[in-house]
Amino acid sequence: ASAEAYRQAVAQEPNSTKALNNLASALLHLGRAREAADTLERSLRIEETPAGRSNLGNAWYFMKDYRKAAGNYRRATELEPGEAVHWANLGDALKVMGEPEARTAYLEAVRLSRQRVAEAPLDPTAHMRAGLYCARAGDQECALLEGRHAAQMQPRNAEILFRAAIIFCLSGRDQEALDYLEKAVRMGLSRAQIENDPDLTALRGHPRYRRLLNLAG
């Protein structure tokens, strides 16, 4: 649904946090982060939820106000301490700020995601998240193992293959990262997804990276 459709839903139910959060997500997707933040602030005044806090963190992160992003992510971890993604988001914001505490947040994301893998060993998304968080925490062995495992489980899933490329790039394995990126592009990954991901910065000087961008077109 479009942002306009969600706006109409909010007009009909002005106190619906679901409608407000949907509108905020649509606005953020359109790059209208300031409007998204205002919408989420309104939603949080009605009811404070972990998802609302996390999304508000995303809006501030998008606007490069990492201190405000970190504050909201930290609040999300307080409201829902067992959700790995909140800890990973907090780690991302703290890392950009140069805060050593980033590693602590990443390690908690790793712990929770590996717990999830133990509970759901057949869930490729659980393995992929564990791999990503391990990569961010600097645990290369875990990162590569989980990334490969997830990609083997779903070798035709563009999103899984893309995340595998990120894991290998963060682990300094550029050629393997490009291999996974090529597979993801052949499965329909868009050029915008590649260009907008800061985790792939190390690949941008490779001629093969340019060719893959053109292929994604």
Side-chain angles (χ1 to χ4, degrees):
S2 68
E4 199 44 54
Y6 288 133
R7 206 180 291 284
Q8 288 171 8
V10 168
Q12 289 168 1
E13 290 187 86
N15 289 327
S16 166
T17 55
K18 184 181 179 184
L20 287 163
N21 288 341
N22 284 339
L23 173 58
S25 293
L27 290 168
L28 199 54
H29 190 70
L30 293 169
R32 289 153 65 180
R34 180 68 260 186
E35 285 178 79
D38 291 343
T39 304
L40 287 159
E41 292 279 12
R42 183 175 154 191
S43 170
L44 288 162
R45 282 195 292 273
I46 296 164
E47 182 190 0
E48 187 180 30
T49 63
R53 277 290 165 209
S54 192
N55 288 337
L56 183 55
N58 292 342
W60 286 116
Y61 192 94
F62 192 92
M63 289 187 278
K64 296 183 166 54
D65 190 331
Y66 302 113
R67 195 158 297 283
K68 283 187 178 174
N72 282 285
Y73 291 144
R74 194 183 301 282
R75 181 60 184 146
T77 68
E78 291 167 0
L79 293 166
E80 194 176 25
E83 178 50 66
V85 73
H86 301 326
W87 291 99
N89 286 342
L90 176 59
D92 288 344
L94 292 170
K95 184 181 178 184
V96 176
M97 291 158 61
E99 298 283 351
E101 193 197 339
R103 181 167 161 75
T104 307
Y106 284 142
L107 287 172
E108 183 61 10
V110 167
R111 187 185 72 78
L112 291 166
S113 62
R114 294 184 91 164
Q115 198 171 296
R116 172 67 188 153
V117 163
E119 292 165 0
L122 300 181
D123 179 1
T125 301
H127 286 281
M128 187 52 68
R129 283 186 175 169
L132 265 177
Y133 304 155
C134 283
R136 282 174 162 70
D139 185 343
Q140 201 176 99
E141 187 180 353
C142 157
L144 300 178
L145 183 73
E146 294 291 0
R148 281 198 187 99
H149 192 55
Q152 284 165 0
M153 290 173 87
Q154 289 204 335
R156 301 182 67 80
N157 182 318
E159 192 62 33
I160 291 281
L161 293 166
F162 182 45
R163 298 294 167 203
I166 290 170
I167 287 170
F168 278 78
C169 183
L170 290 173
S171 303
R173 305 289 189 95
D174 291 2
Q175 290 305 324
E176 285 169 283
L178 287 162
D179 290 343
Y180 280 113
L181 193 59
E182 181 170 346
K183 289 175 185 175
V185 166
R186 294 191 186 282
M187 289 298 137
L189 187 74
S190 75
R191 181 177 181 134
Q193 279 177 284
I194 301 168
E195 287 185 312
N196 291 333
D197 200 303
D199 284 330
L200 296 178
T201 303
L203 300 183
R204 292 192 177 137
H206 286 263
R208 190 174 164 202
Y209 173 85
R210 303 304 313 171
R211 289 199 298 274
L212 289 174
L213 276 187
N214 293 332
L215 185 64

